[in-house]
Amino acid sequence: MQFFFEALIGGLLSGVMYSLVALGFVLIFKASGVFNFAQGAMVFFAALTVVGFIGKGVPLPLAIVLAFGAMVLLGLATERFVLRKLVGQPPISLFMATIGLAFFIEGLAPMLWGSEVRPIELGIQDEPIPWLLERFDIVVSRFDLVASGIAAALVAVLAIFFQKTRIGRALRAVADDHQAALSIGIPLERIWAIVWAVAGFVALVAGLLWGSRNGVQFALTFTALKALPVLVLGGFDSVAGAIVGGLIIGASEKLAEIYLPPLMQAGFGGNFGGIEGWFPYVLALLFLLVRPEGLFGEKHIDRV
Amino acid sequence: MLYREAGQFKASFAEDMQIFPIRQDRIAMVLLLAFAFLGVPLFASEYWFSAILIPFLIFALASLGLNILTGYCGQLSLGTAAFMAVGAYAAYNFQLRVEGIPILVSFALAGFTAAAVGVLFGLPSLRIKGFYLAVATLAAQFFIVWCLTKFPWLSNNSSSGVISTQKIRILGIAFDSPAAKYLLVLTIVTLMALAAKNLARSTTGRAWMAVRDMDVAAQVIGIPLMHTKLTAFAVSSFYCGVAGALYAFCYLGSVEPDGFSLDLSFRILFMVIIGGVGTVLGSFLGAAFILLLPILLDTTLLPTAHALGLPFSNATVSHIQTMVFGALIMFFLIVEPHGLARLWQITKEKLRLWPFPH
């Protein structure tokens, strides 16, 4: 039982990390209707830029600020040179353009900063919390807990930003209807620039946390693949969905990885590790059959 | 002048309905096929066969498969490589486990196996579409590759799922030289491309296009959505499955599940986008472009960099390749969403008027 709880907590905590990446997707989708496949590449780019600046002797806080600047520039360039030219194209075209963008960034980032795996030190120790270990005999990493705290804080800030501020209201208006937002005087281009900057910031935070856990390397781009089932489960346009979806995916994938292979081994023989790779997708797929718009997604009505 | 259609009258419905209604197209097609079947084997070297021509034809077939699904029926799929893997492993297993089965039959059966799997993963398309479906097809990508790695039976108990394909013999003739394999692949691809071209003009093809353009409207005018979408998935996966079987048997000879990665799926998607969404010709042009581009970059980048005295390593070249791929995709989507096939159409228009511009 205790083992179960340990796995569950570990899964939930890593689920928070998935949510963090999924959040970047949701932000851009909510405010511009673009499903940005390049989010994983942006996470990679952000982390690599921070490490790259540190390698040049820049202190960590300044490196983070500089990397944020780079992310904003990247977002602005994307908006200016790609998205603006694709206004009015079907969403699938925009999606494929972001696949192209992902490839572009995946080539650009290592060309600027080199492609070897590098550590990043945030000053949080990755060790079990003694209090929980003594009291309940459960191993929970301090790093995971802090990372979840940061993610939770970020989500809270973003939720307030979207709901309470003027810019947040403008963002939601743009997401609802580009034309109507334009006609009441909301500057569309500036709004998109803000959204990409915010998404860049989220990618930066995700990149720092994921990078300090596993090292800054190309595999960071796969965080996007981890976040996609989270999105499907939670709904593409819901911040809350990204959180809840992340928790569900994180927990279920850890539990599946632990409890399914022995069952399958009993049935078929052989080694059945690595379920983590597809289990979230199949879970999300089965869920879609029941509720196509996701947990918190908006129901869509098609008109001819 | 070259493309003058004046004087080409169609006197019967059959003439009006033929695949290539313009005489010049028919002549060009016959010449092209004659050159491909007779001319190329005379001139091409071993390197050209095994490194360029065979993969080109196979990738063209795979992107034709994806084009049927994405270009004609509007269902985006990111799992193409997985369906190719199904085809490759199915063909291998049919050869291995059915005594004396002709290789062409096992290729066809591989296609049908892939079609069955494709329909299975196409089922969600009945309820979801667009991005959700793209994500759902990723499930196929990861799940199938995982299955091929983990179930030893599928790869005849080889370690980590690597299979080495059987020798190809048809009617007692061994197809083991690159030229012979090329001719085999060329024959299959030609027949299947013609079939695809025909299929696109049939009731099924028109139903696909109606669903692509507006599925709700298509349903209103009486097109059965379920049937249409699932046939698209079936036919598309059939093409990908045969392409996968050829990929294993005629190109590489030995494949592993991880070779059919998401990256391969993306490359085939790029072929479709760059070549031209919703055209048969585009699949071929796109495959040629995506295959030749890295070779071109390899041969030009390093020498140029050395000439300019830049410190270029092989890693840099591969990064630049990735960037160029990405940039090209964005470029084509912005500037020419209909791809290279559209350029050919424009050329045809110009040739009609040539040498007078108006």
Side-chain angles (χ1 to χ4, degrees), chain A residues 171-185:
Chain A
L171 288 177
R172 281 185 290 147
V174 171
D176 262 1
D177 190 336
H178 290 178
Q179 294 283 319
L182 267 177
S183 64
I184 56 166

Side-chain angles (χ1 to χ4, degrees), chain A residues 81-102:
Chain A
F81 295 110
V82 184
L83 294 180
R84 200 182 291 180
K85 311 224 154 130
L86 284 171
V87 169
Q89 297 281 343
I92 282 292
S93 291
L94 284 160
F95 170 62
M96 290 196 275
T98 63
I99 296 182
L101 180 65

Side-chain angles (χ1 to χ4, degrees), chain A residues 275-290:
Chain A
I275 285 182
E276 276 176 306
W278 56 264
F279 185 80
Y281 282 93
V282 174
L283 186 73
L285 216 157
L286 292 177
F287 187 78
L288 280 184
L289 290 176
V290 185

